[in-house]
Amino acid sequence: MLRTVLALFLLCFFSGLSAVRAQSGNTPTQRKLLWDNDWRFSLSDPAAAQQPEYNDKAWRQLDLPHDWSIEGATALENPTKGAGGYFPAGTGWYRKSFTVPATWKGKKVAVYFEGVYMNAEVFINGKRLGKQPYGYTSFFYDLTPYLKSGGGNVLAVRVNNAAQMNCRWYSGSGIYRHVWLTVNDPVHIAQWGVGVTTPEVNAGKAKVKIQTLVKNETDRVEKLLLTTQVLSPLRRSAGKVQTAIVLQPRSEKSIEQEVLVANPQLWSPETPVLYQAQVQVKKAAKTLDQLPVAFGIRTLQFSTDKGFQLNGKTIKLNGGCVHHDNGCLGAAAYDRAEERKVELLKAAGFNALRTSHNPPSEAFLQACDKLGMMVMDEAFDGWRESKNKYDYSLYFDEWSERDVQAMVLRDRNHPSIICWSIGNEIIERKKPEAVATARRLSQAVKAIDATRPVTSAMTTWDKDWEIFDSLFAAHDIGGYNYQLHHAAADHARVPSRIMVQTESYPKDAFFCWNMVQQNSYIIGDFVWTAMDYLGESGIGRSYYPGEPSGEHWEKEFFPWHGAYCGDVDLTGWRKPISHYRNLLYNNNEKLYMAVREPNPDSGVIKTTSWAVWPTWESWTWPGHEDKPVQVEVYSRYPKVRLYLNNQLIAEKATGITEEYKAVIAVPYQPGVLKAVGIIEGREYDAVTLRSAEEAAAVTATADRRIIQANGQDLSFVTVEVKDAHGRLQPNAAHQLRFSITGPGEIAGVDSGNLQDTDLYVADKRKAWHGRALVVIKSTHAAGEIKLKVEGEGLTATELNITAVSDGAVK
């Protein structure tokens, strides 16, 4: 019946609203409506905007997720400054008008926000429901007492991101994650009310433990049957359990059930198989509530002698830190953008990601579950003492336990999560109260989930490292930011400490890899960062003669408005350092070649601590003829040979002593540069770089040519400037123009150049090193979307993308 009610509601009252989206977390497919469509927005703070009679007809109409900061221009005078990427902030309002059908009488209706940045105040029909300060915490409110059945209702949300600076990186502004409407029977499973663990696993069977919190919001005693069926990855029954329960009026009860699964398929990065627990509450023959919960069967073990073991196998973490933005989309957490990010980082060789320094979107974690990416889920950047004037320290005492437990409750069923982190580089770390805070937060986490270890990221550049022993002892794993050189001494002093490097410099890739490989008590390394991001402007930058020196956003380096320290840039291009790291940790890449950018005649290029030398997949260096150019070859072969135009230039060793790398000076001449691997004198494998001629044309390649016509789906189109032979012209910087016909729109444009101040939400972008990116978003209509890309002096190109009715694409 409930499904029928919701279907009628969609058809009659929310024409054009997307169909219910099934998720893999604690998300019921029948009782939960995606509520992203048809909101009104104003970047202003008018009085009485919460009142239902307020006239919002002149406000902008839009769909969520939405980030208003990314739509604005970067400017030196913007209050977010370098930390926030010089983007605008401010205060804005969102309003949604809706009608409640009479058939919902007696139901419990709630609104669920996955994330609003920040200080979200929510009103229903003028009644204030509450305020959620932390912009990364998911939260929900009961709407039932305030709804007008059969009449008009207005939900209003005030979002206040005006107090700057607060975040130490780009936060975005607005309702940047999904909003859901939930409709339940008064007897129902609580929000985030199902927790699934697998405490005993072997080849023959797995014990699956399901903890379900059932709520009775009626005035009568309820006699119920709680049924949980476990479905295999092929959606066949793998076990079932039933429990009779009695709930007193206005009460709740937590029920523990167990199911034995025979011959379990284990979740791992190589085999990310997912089971599903179908939890159902019945009264007699009537189903009152049901909830599908995705989970994975796997075991986690941590020790100093065997390191981190997943399913009994020791795994070294090749990790990367990530921020929550999606480049030109800002903080808007479109499902496809979140999934693509994980796809890119998986392809780059990472097996683990740290969500620095806040809980991520649900879609991000679902992608990690699906694709086999392990996760360190992190709650906070800081605790009581501030890093910025208006940061989370203002709310920490009142909100920290609620926020960290919201993270754990929401995320606990994701098999991708292997560890919880409760903080990063805590300012008060030298004070005794920091130990008490760490214990309190750790206890708050373990009150909900005792199956995973707790860590936080420690750092200091002074000589007092040993004084942190008591703080480390309040954690299960010691997190080291840039301090792995302390590991040997720490292990000798505290041999029981399990260590992970929670941040490292990209330039230290070999040192960190070697430390991880040689020491069982070090379980892995998380480089800062896996991918470029907005804010912390100037980290990872190289600077040239005449440019200001310094490390990052603590000085003003505008027009830099982002961090260039990622292995992957904001267009998805893997930098040479990405190939080097992958070559160290994995066996799917054995040979790679790139060229170090030559110093200009006016002086020497310099790099910051988070930078590596600017290095490109290019053998096109006009003006450097006959001058030596440094060629870098990364190799898992014992030796490499380098040829220029079929002439042998050099043969060099590339073993572990050489850190699997050779740097060879070559007098530049246009042509073909080729590197080959050598084993016992024989040549294996080959990589080449060819000089490009003048730019002649532009090409466009979509990551997906078929997308859903749901107003949410995306196609990421890589645009390249080519010469007449179809070779990338790596020096091209043409202004490219994009135009769309058909049922699509441009959601954002990018080039990876974090000094380009052109708008990200626009129809033009300058190519950078021959590349640009345009992101196409569907509307709510099916049909052919045609993208045209033009540039002066270039042959234009066109690309067709098909938008199909919602549900036709998986």
Side-chain angles (χ1 to χ4, degrees):
M1 177 181 176
L2 184 55
R3 179 181 297 180
T4 303
V5 170
L6 296 182
L8 288 171
F9 175 75
L10 283 172
L11 291 172
C12 299
F13 300 97
F14 286 95
S15 178
L17 187 67
S18 294
V20 177
R21 188 191 71 173
Q23 283 184 239
S24 55
N26 283 347
T27 306
T29 56
Q30 279 84 30
R31 63 173 189 166
K32 190 172 181 181
L33 293 169
L34 185 60
W35 223 36
D36 284 349
N37 296 343
D38 196 22
W39 288 73
R40 296 279 179 170
F41 169 72
S42 176
L43 184 53
S44 62
D45 194 14
Q50 75 274 21
Q51 299 300 330
E53 63 271 16
Y54 181 87
N55 186 353
D56 61 12
K57 297 301 182 184
W59 287 18
R60 176 180 168 193
Q61 187 174 357
L62 53 75
D63 294 344
L64 306 177
H66 175 239
D67 171 10
W68 78 69
S69 288
I70 198 65
E71 298 172 344
T74 56
L76 187 61
E77 62 270 18
N78 279 334
T80 57
K81 296 302 179 185
Y86 302 101
F87 284 87
T91 299
W93 279 85
Y94 296 84
R95 286 168 52 94
K96 185 172 180 65
S97 300
F98 63 103
T99 303
V100 173
T103 49
W104 282 14
K105 186 177 181 180
K107 301 294 183 183
K108 300 293 291 186
V109 182
V111 62
Y112 170 48
F113 295 88
E114 289 192 20
V116 182
Y117 203 89
M118 60 179 290
N119 291 310
E121 293 181 83
V122 182
F123 304 84
I124 180 67
N125 294 330
K127 171 67 177 178
R128 186 178 187 270
L129 298 175
K131 182 176 182 178
Q132 172 61 50
Y134 194 36
Y136 300 110
T137 292
S138 299
F139 61 99
F140 52 92
Y141 294 114
D142 183 11
L143 303 181
T144 312
Y146 317 107
L147 293 178
K148 301 174 183 177
S149 181
N153 296 269
V154 176
L155 187 83
V157 184
R158 183 178 186 262
V159 184
N160 182 2
N161 194 23
Q164 293 292 332
M165 297 181 304
N166 50 67
C167 210
R168 290 193 306 129
W169 55 91
Y170 178 84
S171 65
S173 302
I175 307 179
Y176 68 101
R177 292 178 181 167
H178 293 303
V179 178
W180 300 84
L181 196 70
T182 63
V183 183
N184 295 320
D185 191 273
V187 177
H188 59 272
I189 300 164
Q191 177 76 21
W192 305 327
V194 177
V196 183
T197 58
T198 54
E200 298 176 22
V201 179
N202 58 49
K205 65 180 179 180
K207 179 187 289 185
V208 178
K209 184 182 293 185
I210 308 98
Q211 196 89 21
T212 303
L213 182 63
V214 183
K215 302 186 73 166
N216 176 13
E217 297 192 61
T218 74
D219 294 321
R220 59 186 178 272
V221 175
E222 296 285 0
K223 296 181 179 180
L224 309 166
L225 185 66
L226 179 68
T227 302
T228 299
Q229 181 171 238
V230 173
L231 299 182
S232 74
L234 295 177
R235 294 299 180 260
R236 297 171 181 165
S237 180
K240 186 176 181 179
V241 62
Q242 293 184 320
T243 305
I245 58 176
V246 177
L247 276 180
Q248 297 301 312
R250 303 293 169 183
S251 69
E252 61 185 33
K253 183 178 289 187
S254 182
I255 309 299
E256 184 176 295
Q257 298 176 305
E258 288 184 358
V259 173
L260 293 180
V261 175
N263 305 313
Q265 300 178 59
L266 304 188
W267 187 96
S268 72
E270 296 77 25
T271 59
V273 292
L274 295 172
Y275 285 75
Q276 187 181 96
Q278 288 192 336
V279 185
Q280 191 175 67
V281 178
K282 279 193 170 186
K283 180 180 179 180
K286 182 181 180 182
T287 299
L288 302 182
D289 198 6
Q290 54 187 354
L291 180 65
V293 180
F295 69 96
I297 298 176
R298 49 97 174 109
T299 63
L300 307 175
Q301 295 172 298
F302 298 83
S303 65
T304 55
D305 59 332
K306 293 183 179 179
F308 165 56
Q309 291 184 298
L310 179 67
N311 303 324
K313 175 184 176 183
T314 297
I315 294 179
K316 295 294 188 178
L317 300 177
N318 177 25
C321 299
V322 291
H323 276 313
H324 74 302
D325 74 82
N326 285 301
C328 64
L329 302 175
Y334 294 100
D335 289 3
R336 175 55 195 159
E338 299 290 78
E339 182 180 56
R340 174 180 177 265
K341 180 188 291 183
V342 180
E343 287 175 351
L344 290 171
L345 298 178
K346 180 92 173 180
F350 290 106
N351 64 9
L353 299 174
R354 173 186 177 221
T355 67
S356 48
H357 304 290
N358 53 264
S361 71
E362 293 187 24
F364 176 87
L365 292 174
Q366 291 157 17
C368 290
D369 292 343
K370 171 186 171 183
L371 297 171
M373 181 69 76
M374 295 177 287
V375 175
M376 178 187 292
D377 201 354
E378 189 158 86
F380 311 120
D381 183 27
W383 294 345
R384 283 194 176 87
E385 295 195 17
S386 64
K387 299 179 180 180
N388 283 331
K389 183 176 180 179
Y390 298 104
D391 66 11
Y392 188 70
S393 64
L394 298 174
Y395 316 106
F396 184 80
D397 285 338
E398 180 182 355
W399 285 89
S400 59
E401 285 191 32
R402 279 185 281 180
D403 285 335
V404 78
Q405 289 194 324
M407 175 185 78
V408 177
L409 277 169
R410 190 197 72 168
D411 296 348
R412 57 184 164 162
N413 296 321
H414 291 282
S416 54
I417 297 174
I418 61 171
C419 181
W420 305 109
S421 173
I422 55 176
N424 172 68
E425 297 181 0
I426 306 306
I427 296 296
E428 64 267 34
R429 56 186 174 266
K430 293 185 180 181
K431 298 179 179 180
E433 53 263 35
V435 177
T437 300
R439 288 174 178 160
R440 177 174 62 83
L441 291 176
S442 181
Q443 289 168 0
V445 169
K446 293 187 176 184
I448 299 168
D449 175 35
T451 69
R452 298 175 177 92
V454 173
T455 189
S456 71
M458 290 284 295
T459 195
T460 189
W461 281 271
D462 55 33
K463 296 180 180 180
D464 294 332
W465 187 250
E466 291 83 358
I467 70 170
F468 300 124
D469 285 352
S470 59
L471 185 52
F472 273 121
H475 302 80
D476 302 304
I477 296 174
Y480 286 52
N481 276 11
Y482 313 102
Q483 302 298 318
L484 209 56
H485 54 279
H486 287 301
D490 283 7
H491 180 65
R493 189 177 69 257
V494 191
S496 61
R497 185 182 300 166
I498 303 165
M499 305 176 193
V500 62
Q501 184 156 240
T502 34
E503 291 180 27
S504 65
Y505 296 118
K507 63 186 178 183
D508 292 338
F510 179 83
F511 167 77
C512 297
W513 170 83
N514 199 39
M515 287 289 288
V516 169
Q517 301 304 310
Q518 298 302 318
N519 299 285
S520 61
Y521 56 87
I522 304 174
I523 64 173
D525 170 56
F526 287 78
V527 68
W528 192 270
T529 55
M531 195 165 188
D532 288 349
Y533 58 95
L534 301 174
E536 289 194 285
S537 303
I539 282 186
R541 84 192 214 286
S542 303
Y543 54 99
Y544 297 78
E547 294 184 346
S549 61
E551 284 290 347
H552 54 89
W553 59 268
E554 290 162 353
K555 291 186 177 182
E556 301 289 358
F557 295 122
F558 187 81
W560 281 98
H561 56 273
Y564 194 70
C565 49
D567 277 21
V568 180
D569 78 5
L570 288 180
T571 69
W573 178 70
R574 290 178 61 192
K575 303 175 190 176
I577 185 63
S578 169
H579 295 272
Y580 182 54
R581 191 182 319 281
N582 183 46
L583 184 141
L584 292 174
Y585 278 92
N586 302 299
N587 58 12
N588 62 341
E589 191 168 13
K590 297 187 69 175
L591 191 66
Y592 177 82
M593 177 173 58
V595 178
R596 290 164 62 97
E597 185 174 325
N599 284 311
D601 293 336
S602 57
V604 176
I605 298 171
K606 296 182 180 179
T607 58
T608 57
S609 296
W610 285 269
V612 294
W613 193 277
T615 307
W616 309 98
E617 296 171 342
S618 170
W619 192 240
T620 305
W621 301 98
H624 289 83
E625 285 78 7
D626 298 322
K627 297 177 183 178
V629 177
Q630 301 293 317
V631 178
E632 292 190 354
V633 183
Y634 314 143
S635 166
R636 273 294 192 161
Y637 293 98
K639 295 181 179 180
V640 294
R641 289 176 185 157
L642 186 67
Y643 294 90
L644 176 57
N645 297 328
N646 294 321
Q647 297 296 311
L648 179 64
I649 300 297
E651 178 174 309
K652 283 198 172 186
T654 50
I656 191 168
T657 302
E658 295 78 25
E659 302 183 359
Y660 304 113
K661 181 188 300 185
V663 180
I664 302 169
V666 181
Y668 174 68
Q669 288 293 333
V672 180
L673 192 68
K674 181 174 76 170
V676 295
I678 303 297
I679 302 176
E680 296 180 349
R682 297 184 62 183
E683 295 186 355
Y684 295 85
D685 209 348
V687 291
T688 60
L689 295 173
R690 296 178 181 271
S691 300
E693 297 176 3
E694 289 186 6
V698 63
T699 63
T701 306
D703 68 334
R704 296 158 78 236
R705 295 288 295 273
I706 301 175
I707 60 177
Q708 293 182 3
N710 58 6
Q712 294 273 338
D713 208 1
L714 306 174
S715 179
F716 289 79
V717 180
T718 300
V719 177
E720 294 183 320
V721 180
K722 303 284 186 69
D723 69 7
H725 304 285
R727 301 170 189 151
L728 178 74
Q729 172 41 267
N731 303 319
H734 295 68
Q735 179 75 268
L736 303 175
R737 300 181 301 279
F738 310 104
S739 56
I740 289 279
T741 57
E745 59 187 56
I746 296 173
V749 293
D750 208 337
S751 68
N753 182 3
L754 290 167
Q755 295 187 79
D756 189 340
T757 58
D758 286 351
L759 291 172
Y760 281 103
V761 181
D763 59 2
K764 61 182 179 180
R765 192 73 174 181
K766 289 186 287 292
W768 191 58
H769 292 282
R771 291 187 179 87
L773 178 75
V774 55
V775 184
I776 306 304
K777 183 164 76 80
S778 66
T779 64
H780 298 279
E784 291 297 316
I785 305 167
K786 180 175 289 186
L787 169 69
K788 186 174 184 179
V789 185
E790 302 171 281
E792 187 174 352
L794 303 174
T795 301
T797 191
E798 292 184 350
L799 176 71
N800 288 337
I801 297 165
T802 303
V804 298
S805 57
D806 195 18
V809 178
K810 300 296 183 184

